[in-house]
Amino acid sequence: MVSHALEQGVLVVTVHDDPGSDGRAVLLARISDLMKGHAPTSLVLVLDGPAAADSAVGVVLRVHRLCSRLGLVMSVATHSAPVRRLLEADADAGGTRLVVLARADTAIRLTAAALTAAA
């Protein structure tokens, strides 16, 4: 369902499959566990192909709220324009801004640059 890597100091979590309504809690727990285990300063969440579905959007928004509480920079990459629009419209404006992009490499590069600028 997910894979992860550290790239340029950024935790990159790729969701490969649509979690469906039954898998949302499992996906959220998996991402939370990865964040706890790696203690990153930033996160890029990639919704790959079939994962770019409405059921994943709720998980992304919950992860964004978690990142905001922890003071982490978070970006999302998905090729799906409707999902990008939905995420941008529903993101919590009270926390750290959610950056939503079409390409994972761009999201990783910009997130790493934000870390460098903040340091």
Side-chain angles (χ1 to χ4, degrees):
M1 181 186 261
V2 301
S3 62
H4 71 283
L6 288 172
E7 295 186 33
Q8 302 178 37
V10 176
L11 176 60
V12 180
V13 177
T14 303
V15 181
H16 300 283
D17 302 308
D18 177 2
S21 58
D22 295 335
R24 288 184 289 201
V26 173
L27 178 58
L28 180 60
R30 178 73 176 124
I31 295 169
S32 296
D33 289 347
L34 287 169
M35 290 173 61
K36 289 176 189 171
H38 291 282
T41 54
S42 62
L43 172 72
V44 171
L45 193 56
V46 180
L47 299 179
D48 192 26
D54 290 343
S55 57
V57 170
V59 174
V60 172
L61 295 173
R62 287 182 182 164
V63 171
H64 177 239
R65 285 192 293 272
L66 175 62
C67 286
S68 290
R69 285 194 304 269
L70 297 173
L72 303 180
V73 174
M74 179 182 169
S75 299
V76 177
T78 179
H79 291 294
S80 171
V83 170
R84 287 195 308 271
R85 285 191 296 272
L86 188 58
L87 287 168
E88 289 167 346
D90 291 343
D92 180 12
T96 305
R97 182 174 176 264
L98 179 62
V99 178
V100 184
L101 300 162
R103 295 175 42 132
D105 60 335
T106 304
I108 294 165
R109 188 178 69 249
L110 292 175
T111 304
L115 287 175
T116 304

